Amino acid sequence: MKVLFVVSEVEDLVKTGGLADVGKALPLALNQMGHEVVIVMPYYRQLAEKFAAEDMCEKQVLQSGELIYEFGIKQCNLENVRVLAVDYPKYFDRKGLYTDSYHAYPDNAERFAFFACAALRTAQRADFKPDIVHCNDWHTALTPYFMSVDHSGFYSQTKTVFTIHNGAYQGTSRLSDIPFLHSHYQLHSQLDGDALNYVRMGIRYASKINAVSPNYAHELLSHLGSHHLHEEFQRRYHDVSGVLNGCDYSQWDPKTDSHIAQTYDHQSLEGKAVCKADLQLQMGLPQEPRVPLIGMVCRLTDQKGFGFILPIILRLMQHKVQLAIVGTGDPEISRILRDVATTHSDKCAFIEDFSVTKAHKIEAGSDFFLMPSLFEPCGLNQMYSLAYGTLPIVRGVGGLKDTVVDLAEHPHQATGFVFIEPSADALLACIQRALLFYHEMPEEFEVVVKRAMNTYFTWDKAAQEYLSLYESAMYG
């Protein structure tokens, strides 16, 4: 099968979040299975600085109405997968991918409308005629639309898959602010007021729509979980499905992790105890081996559950527990966490920062990992936590529900602790349940830890499911 993978970021090339993980892992998994995959992405400044990509061909010209866009095509390889990058410095030679570190670029809708169309021209110029064009998130959601108005015949037999990694980000902008689309009169009848919603267009024009976990796909079909696109998803419910992301165990494996104080595996957890002592030292917490340590690494946003955490954090400090949080984001959340860490320095530590090493140390050194998300399309940290024997405490939404088995619900298959109700009290009750299990049943706790470490979510399995999805798009 020939797959054109259109994505805005790819790990090892340029990355801001989990989308890049999929942008690398899925094409590589498909390629290793014998399928021909070409990735198309923007040629960002960060990519240009990191790799000496060569020109694939002469400059290409894309015309939209009276506007002329002249762009280059760069090419490089990522572990035997061909990468083609759309080189248009006016849009992509910038400090950040989507923001200037503080504010989203005001022309993002224009930038990615151009890219969604230029990606098709890029594959055509490379003479790569795909069976499937796989688009990812709002940045590429217009690509199926552009295929529908392409009269070259190049894509006449090609089907499209649109993957939603986070439906909360929809690429909504006034049509008047997107010069590239001014000549596309077909879109005028599809506006919400004067605004065009890119994700809505992806849902309407793609052959198949999928989410990054089965449960998140189910939530997108509901009124509460659809991010205000309930009617769009319901119209296409036969074509909506979910494929759970895999985990890159080459980077997240306690047996080989160079970031942690001592490696370990499920047969011997002595190294995990060393990692806990190291984490306590790094975070400035008392080195008490039998005090349960709850870790958290994330963006400081409401989506990550701080609306549940902050109301109960002082009550949590009354327990025999330690809390270690690493992250950046909302200044008000940061302020509250700093205050709690100052007044309860023996139980709470907060570092307003992010680094790969800190993330690995939290995963290896904690007894529990906290993810009480408001919504979570897939989530990766709970997968990392399971691999490291750090039991997740999660809200049962999205991919968290698909990957963590609650102790109370299924005691013989349990890998963590799950609560459902979106409230601070429900979160506190779940944490208390976990702490009680830790303190009162240490032998059973170790059994669950070892079971968690033997839980795997591989990209091979995810790639097989995507192949089935591609085939359903092609053959109905």
Side-chain angles (χ1 to χ4, degrees), residues 132-209:
I132 293 289
V133 174
H134 189 156
C135 310
N136 295 271
D137 263 355
W138 74 265
H139 321 87
T140 64
L142 289 185
T143 298
Y145 160 74
F146 287 123
M147 288 176 62
S148 76
V149 296
D150 176 71
H151 302 299
S152 69
F154 189 81
Y155 293 100
S156 60
Q157 302 300 312
T158 302
K159 302 299 182 181
T160 53
V161 169
F162 175 44
T163 296
I164 297 171
H165 299 259
N166 190 334
Y169 299 96
Q170 299 178 4
T172 301
S173 182
R174 291 184 304 177
L175 187 60
S176 58
D177 293 334
I178 315 173
F180 191 82
L181 298 179
H182 285 178
S183 63
H184 288 260
Y185 302 109
Q186 304 95 318
L187 296 175
H188 290 204
S189 63
Q190 304 196 52
L191 303 181
D192 183 6
D194 62 349
L196 184 69
N197 183 306
Y198 283 28
V199 168
R200 178 181 282 123
M201 293 302 102
I203 297 168
R204 290 181 178 177
Y205 284 93
S207 307
K208 297 289 181 180
I209 305 107

Side-chain angles (χ1 to χ4, degrees), residues 287-352:
Q287 289 185 281
E288 300 180 20
R290 284 305 302 164
V291 172
L293 175 53
I294 301 174
M296 191 174 188
V297 181
C298 67
R299 299 189 314 276
L300 307 182
T301 65
D302 281 342
Q303 185 211 325
K304 296 302 180 181
F306 283 96
F308 309 137
I309 296 170
L310 298 184
I312 56 97
I313 194 167
L314 293 180
R315 291 158 66 189
L316 182 60
M317 293 297 97
Q318 297 172 14
H319 291 274
K320 187 177 181 180
V321 68
Q322 292 178 345
L323 181 63
I325 301 177
V326 173
T328 61
D330 189 315
E332 181 60 15
I333 295 174
S334 300
R335 183 192 66 77
I336 295 171
L337 292 176
R338 281 196 303 271
D339 289 348
V340 175
T342 299
T343 56
H344 296 81
S345 58
D346 61 329
K347 291 188 173 183
C348 181
F350 168 59
I351 296 179
E352 190 173 4

Side-chain angles (χ1 to χ4, degrees), residues 88-102:
Y88 193 67
K90 179 181 178 181
Y91 288 162
F92 303 124
D93 184 13
R94 301 186 181 186
K95 178 181 178 181
L97 274 61
Y98 319 117
T99 74
D100 60 5
S101 296
Y102 299 101

Side-chain angles (χ1 to χ4, degrees), residues 231-267:
E231 292 182 357
E232 298 293 340
F233 285 113
Q234 279 293 328
R235 287 192 193 100
R236 297 293 308 278
Y237 78 94
H238 286 298
D239 295 314
V240 177
S241 62
V243 176
L244 187 68
N245 282 344
C247 177
D248 185 354
Y249 293 106
S250 68
Q251 296 188 39
W252 295 92
D253 185 346
K255 297 190 294 292
T256 58
D257 194 334
S258 62
H259 297 284
I260 63 179
Q262 184 172 314
T263 56
Y264 61 95
D265 60 27
H266 71 278
Q267 294 179 327

